[in-house]
Amino acid sequence: MKINRWLRTALITCAAVFSFGIGVSAQTAFAATTPKYTTVSTTTIKKAPYHKKSAAGAIYNLSHTKKIANLKTYPYTTWYATKKVTLKNGASKALYYKVSNGSGSVSGYVWHNYLTPGKSPFGLKYAQSAVALDMNTGGTVWSKAADTPRPIASITKLMTLYLVRQKISNGDGTWDSKVNTSNAGLKKLGKDKDFGGFKFTKNSYTVRDLYLAGLIESSNNAAIALGQWVAGGSTPTYNKKFINMMNAQAKLWNLTDASFVSASGMEQNSLKPFGYSIGGANANLVSANDVAQIAKHFIADYNDVLTDASIKSMTLDGQKLYNYNNMLPGRKYYQKSLNVDGLKTGYTVPAGYCFVGTGRKAGHDRIITVVLHDQNEFTETRSLMNYVYNNKLA
């Protein structure tokens, strides 16, 4: 049976007003009928933690004329109530809590039935491993299966590029040093539709050029060529030598859950057509904790990596280098308060979506976050960063 539009609207409005006391959509109903709220009573209470009961509900100002935030956009936030307030709208009264998040950046009034007592149980739904590290103290402030070695795809390049910087620091090269890029396998790799991204149109590039191609565009052939340069040559033999150097550096840092077989992060079966498979395990296997340590060393020793990692795009050798970090300013998952300025994305089928994020919220320490084998790496990284800061863990 069809109901005309006027009658349907009237029925919906009546149902919404009636539901205030029941909690089916109290705030929406009031806003649709009588927008004037008055305060009946206010009681100060001992500060108590609450978290959202479901996806419903919102936080308003006291007069209920402005929505401050939807609770569903703060899935892991603990709200601290400091007052009980009875508000009247028309003939109906309802109990509200005055709440704020841990940092005090969001506060307002929420209908009591949208909250449940206790601190929010924080979790990441999709990431198989994750960690948040305080850069200042070096301490882990949150983790999930963080000691389990997993494929890390192009996050590998952080170790490769660190060793490039180390060689320069040791006086064995400069940004302007020339890197041999004439290898046919690497040129073929650069043109590959799945694993390419920066084509070697010349037989040599500067270290700086390949460093930017590896960091920003995540060029696999650039990373391999740089590794060979670090190891002292320009053939697959030196690639294997460089991988030994990667593992030696991991051992020097006491990274007990790290094993490298690839300078770029590509798996062995993918490298084989280009002549760069060294045998053994198929993928680099590194834990989230050990990835965070690599990032920490890189930022501490060569802080300007953050300047380069925050470049959203640039042109090099007539080719566009595109940064896939979608938490940078202007990108889909950007949040101004987090000040994200790095660091590295990664993806292969075995590794899933991986991301090392870093930023520093005003008044807090810089944090490094790692999510491995994720499906929503930027959403979950943003949730993790907000959780750390809102709960004053860094």
Side-chain angles (χ1 to χ4, degrees):
M1 180 178 68
K2 295 183 178 180
I3 301 175
N4 68 53
R5 185 177 298 175
W6 180 88
L7 180 56
R8 182 174 57 190
T9 302
L11 290 172
I12 291 171
T13 303
C14 290
V17 174
F18 177 77
S19 68
F20 177 85
I22 303 174
V24 176
S25 186
Q27 296 165 331
T28 303
F30 273 13
T33 54
T34 310
K36 183 174 177 60
Y37 281 70
T38 57
T39 302
V40 176
S41 63
T42 300
T43 304
T44 300
I45 60 174
K46 183 178 180 180
K47 186 176 181 180
Y50 289 85
H51 59 278
K52 72 179 186 65
K53 182 180 290 186
S54 66
I59 297 173
Y60 283 82
N61 63 349
L62 183 59
S63 61
H64 216 276
T65 56
K66 180 182 179 181
K67 183 188 290 186
I68 306 298
N70 287 311
L71 290 177
K72 68 179 181 181
T73 62
Y74 293 84
Y76 306 115
T77 298
T78 298
W79 300 99
Y80 293 92
T82 54
K83 291 181 180 180
K84 288 184 178 181
V85 181
T86 300
L87 296 181
K88 184 177 181 181
N89 180 267
S92 299
K93 296 179 183 179
L95 175 64
Y96 280 69
Y97 290 136
K98 182 181 181 182
V99 300
S100 63
N101 61 2
S103 65
S105 60
V106 181
S107 61
Y109 297 81
V110 60
W111 186 46
H112 75 285
N113 231 11
Y114 286 138
L115 298 175
T116 190
K119 291 186 176 181
S120 172
F122 179 75
L124 298 181
K125 181 178 180 180
Y126 297 107
Q128 291 188 5
S129 291
V131 70
L133 180 147
D134 185 315
M135 183 73 188
N136 183 45
T137 66
T140 297
V141 295
W142 190 87
S143 66
K144 173 185 178 180
D147 291 322
T148 302
R150 299 187 188 280
I152 62 168
S154 283
I155 286 176
T156 295
K157 294 181 176 73
L158 292 177
M159 176 65 93
T160 297
L161 298 177
Y162 179 92
L163 292 175
V164 170
R165 300 300 301 272
Q166 188 179 72
K167 178 168 180 167
I168 294 173
S169 294
N170 291 339
D172 297 327
T174 70
W175 280 129
D176 294 324
S177 295
K178 293 292 185 178
V179 179
N180 189 320
T181 55
S182 63
N183 181 275
L186 292 185
K187 287 191 173 184
K188 179 182 176 183
L189 176 57
K191 297 176 182 177
D192 187 82
K193 65 182 180 64
D194 295 318
F195 300 104
F198 180 71
K199 299 177 179 65
F200 285 170
T201 62
K202 299 184 293 189
N203 288 329
S204 70
Y205 289 87
T206 66
V207 170
R208 177 65 177 169
D209 285 347
L210 295 185
Y211 176 88
L212 291 172
L215 182 63
I216 298 170
E217 177 64 31
S218 199
S219 167
N220 292 310
N221 47 314
I224 295 171
L226 283 170
Q228 292 177 160
W229 175 77
V230 171
S234 58
T235 65
T237 299
Y238 288 92
N239 172 62
K240 188 170 184 178
K241 183 178 179 181
F242 176 71
I243 291 166
N244 290 335
M245 296 173 69
M246 296 172 77
N247 286 305
Q249 187 64 49
K251 185 175 181 180
L252 187 65
W253 284 337
N254 296 314
L255 306 185
T256 57
D257 300 311
S259 177
F260 294 96
V261 294
S262 163
S264 64
M266 289 174 61
E267 285 81 28
Q268 296 294 294
N269 56 352
S270 299
L271 285 164
K272 192 172 182 178
F274 309 102
Y276 278 91
S277 172
I278 68 168
N282 189 46
N284 296 333
L285 297 175
V286 187
S287 68
N289 268 333
D290 284 356
V291 168
Q293 290 300 317
I294 295 169
K296 184 188 77 170
H297 283 289
F298 206 147
I299 295 170
D301 294 347
Y302 308 107
N303 189 257
D304 59 0
V305 68
L306 299 174
T307 301
D308 293 329
S310 61
I311 297 172
K312 291 185 286 186
S313 66
M314 64 174 289
T315 300
L316 178 64
D317 190 28
Q319 304 174 59
K320 184 176 182 178
L321 305 182
Y322 184 84
N323 192 331
Y324 292 90
N325 179 355
N326 283 326
M327 294 187 71
L328 293 175
R331 296 287 177 79
K332 182 178 180 180
Y333 299 96
Y334 171 66
Q335 182 179 322
K336 184 177 180 180
S337 63
L338 295 176
N339 292 315
V340 171
D341 48 11
L343 190 57
K344 190 72 192 72
T345 60
Y347 173 79
T348 63
V349 173
Y353 291 98
C354 304
F355 181 53
V356 180
T358 187
R360 183 179 182 182
K361 188 172 184 177
H364 295 263
D365 291 341
R366 171 175 291 279
I367 59 174
I368 295 170
T369 59
V370 179
V371 293
L372 301 181
H373 208 291
D374 208 332
Q375 296 180 37
N376 293 287
E377 71 275 30
F378 302 118
T379 298
E380 296 211 318
T381 293
R382 188 171 62 183
S383 292
L384 179 54
M385 287 183 169
N386 279 314
Y387 175 79
V388 169
Y389 285 132
N390 289 340
N391 288 278
K392 301 181 180 178
L393 301 179

